[in-house]
Amino acid sequence: MDALSKLQEKNKIHSKHQRDASWSTVWALCLLSPLLFSYGYEFYFSVIENIKIETIHPSIALFGSLCFGLPLAAMGDLMLFKRVSKLFLLTIAESWFIWFWVVTPLSWLAFLPLIPAFVILQVQLPKIKAGK
């Protein structure tokens, strides 16, 4: 019976790791969505609509996406919310970033969601430290 309980515990740990891996894939796709959207936006207007638009260079789009996404992911990982809430807030922040980074070139306004994320993290910091 002891072997069965050990096997059951190993199966629980394995299924938890699989869920974490699938969530990591979702997070990575969400963080790369501004870059993918900028490629799609440029492709749509240049090939399908045959309109010449001014877009940012792909390396600048990648750099901006990483400068926005990595701090947001780090802060979001520490926040004390459920995964679904984090995904919802990340989707809102990424939509904001995509709109102001790709569609309307207001790059200074695109990084604005980092401020509320930092404030939320600072408010939750005592609880985070107490939990460890």
Side-chain angles (χ1 to χ4, degrees):
M1 204 60 176
D2 188 41
L4 280 169
S5 63
K6 286 182 182 179
L7 183 62
Q8 185 179 14
E9 187 64 32
K10 284 184 181 180
N11 284 341
K12 282 183 184 178
I13 292 171
H14 179 69
S15 65
K16 182 183 181 301
H17 286 297
Q18 282 184 326
R19 281 192 310 271
D20 289 343
S22 66
W23 272 103
S24 296
T25 305
V26 169
W27 298 127
L29 286 175
C30 283
L31 293 175
L32 289 176
S33 64
L35 181 65
L36 299 174
F37 185 83
S38 68
Y39 289 152
Y41 188 76
E42 183 179 1
F43 177 79
Y44 175 76
F45 281 107
S46 64
V47 175
I48 296 175
E49 292 289 325
N50 206 12
I51 300 172
K52 180 69 176 159
I53 60 167
E54 293 289 326
T55 58
I56 55 178
H57 193 270
S59 61
I60 296 172
L62 175 65
F63 182 72
S65 297
L66 290 178
C67 286
F68 177 77
L70 293 179
L72 192 65
M75 287 187 280
D77 189 39
L78 293 174
M79 288 182 189
L80 300 174
F81 293 130
K82 294 181 181 182
R83 281 185 179 167
V84 177
S85 301
K86 288 181 186 181
L87 183 63
F88 179 70
L89 292 173
L90 179 66
T91 304
I92 291 171
E94 288 289 332
S95 300
W96 176 280
F97 181 76
I98 287 170
W99 180 259
F100 288 108
W101 183 256
V102 179
V103 180
T104 56
L106 295 171
S107 60
W108 63 273
L109 196 55
F111 289 92
L112 197 64
L114 290 176
I115 296 171
F118 182 74
V119 169
I120 290 171
L121 184 65
Q122 291 301 314
V123 168
Q124 291 182 350
L125 200 58
K127 293 179 185 176
I128 293 169
K129 286 182 179 178
K132 289 185 178 179

